[in-house]
Amino acid sequence: MAYEPSIRLPHAGLQVSRIGLAASFGVPPEGLEIAFDHGINYFYWGSVRRPGFAEGIRRLAPRHREQMVVVLQSYARWPAQLMRFAVDNGLRKLKLDYADVLLLGWFNRRPPQWILDEAMELREKGRVRALMMSGHQRTFFPEMAREEIFDAFMVRYNAVHRGAEREVFPRLPEGDAHPGIVAYTATRWGNLLDPRNAPDGERVPTASDCYRFCLANPAVDVVLCGPETVEHVHEACAALGKGPLDAEDLAWMRRVGDHIYERSRVKKLVD
């Protein structure tokens, strides 16, 4: 299948760019405008809500709201009403009537039913259009997906941490029950970009290489990037235009990832 820079999430029915921007690292408002002009429409206002990111959304929304996909995150645990407050507060700051996706952050087991009920009520009332969940327990995602509550899952995946290739992607339901997948930590918190971590004789990956590595896996719908600067946004836009890595570059990225993983494992044993 030919690469397309956007894709329709199966459950949610949202047309999303294959690369999305996250708010945590301080990209200025014009970064979002540049990204949108280059086809990036997925904006994740997550755990660290930078004011410049919010301003970027506010600038775009009056003319382009229907083309944007805005994700709000909630870590609310108890009482469940905190989730409603987080959504209402986020929408007020962004000057939006609804969020396209509500992300329930960091659940490694089934969320309590009252949390799920609150989230589904927000979806039924139109305050959010789709539900997503993130977590670090990979084997739990396929189990939760079978309940068909969530429209998408946010999964850690990069050239170093590839466990999702075994424990998540092939175990998800197929057909109409198949959820969308958003990959995060594509650069492994910048470790893949550090020349000190590359094996001898291998070139050092760029952020663009890391995004394109994730896009090469057909199970991944969207890969997140966390830009600090406009230059970082341009790099993400370039990656979106180029699309997935070819087989040769995928093999190279896996060699680099294996080297970093082994070094990390040995360090843990030594420490």
Side-chain angles (χ1 to χ4, degrees), residues 40-88:
I40 293 177
N41 75 333
Y42 186 102
F43 301 115
Y44 167 48
W45 206 43
S47 52
V48 181
R49 295 178 167 184
R50 303 286 187 183
F53 202 91
E55 175 60 23
I57 291 176
R58 289 194 295 266
R59 290 183 187 180
L60 286 169
R63 289 181 295 139
H64 305 293
R65 181 64 187 97
E66 288 303 312
Q67 291 77 47
M68 297 166 63
V69 174
V70 177
V71 182
L72 293 184
Q73 178 168 290
S74 171
Y75 282 120
R77 294 300 193 266
W78 187 90
Q81 288 79 3
L82 282 176
M83 183 190 307
R84 186 177 306 174
F85 172 79
V87 170
D88 289 344

Side-chain angles (χ1 to χ4, degrees), residues 16-150:
V16 296
S17 53
R18 303 296 306 279
I19 291 179
L21 300 192
S24 299
F25 298 94
V27 64
E30 55 268 27
L32 277 71
E33 295 173 306
I34 291 168
F36 188 82
D37 287 343
H38 286 79
I40 293 177
N41 75 333
Y42 186 102
F43 301 115
Y44 167 48
W45 206 43
S47 52
V48 181
R49 295 178 167 184
R50 303 286 187 183
F53 202 91
E55 175 60 23
I57 291 176
R58 289 194 295 266
R59 290 183 187 180
L60 286 169
R63 289 181 295 139
H64 305 293
R65 181 64 187 97
E66 288 303 312
Q67 291 77 47
M68 297 166 63
V69 174
V70 177
V71 182
L72 293 184
Q73 178 168 290
S74 171
Y75 282 120
R77 294 300 193 266
W78 187 90
Q81 288 79 3
L82 282 176
M83 183 190 307
R84 186 177 306 174
F85 172 79
V87 170
D88 289 344
N89 186 53
L91 293 177
R92 184 167 55 252
K93 289 183 177 180
L94 297 177
K95 297 184 178 179
L96 301 178
D97 295 327
Y98 65 91
D100 298 278
V101 182
L102 170 61
L103 170 62
L104 304 191
W106 206 335
F107 281 95
N108 294 326
R109 62 189 66 181
R110 191 181 192 276
Q113 189 60 44
W114 61 83
I115 292 287
L116 295 175
D117 289 343
E118 185 73 19
M120 288 187 286
E121 183 177 348
L122 286 167
R123 182 171 57 183
E124 289 168 6
K125 289 183 175 179
R127 296 297 276 167
V128 303
R129 292 186 169 180
L131 300 179
M132 181 162 58
M133 189 188 79
S134 71
H136 294 285
Q137 180 57 260
R138 290 190 298 260
T139 56
F140 175 62
F141 287 111
E143 179 183 337
M144 196 69 223
R146 286 192 286 273
E147 294 197 39
E148 298 187 43
I149 295 171
F150 291 97

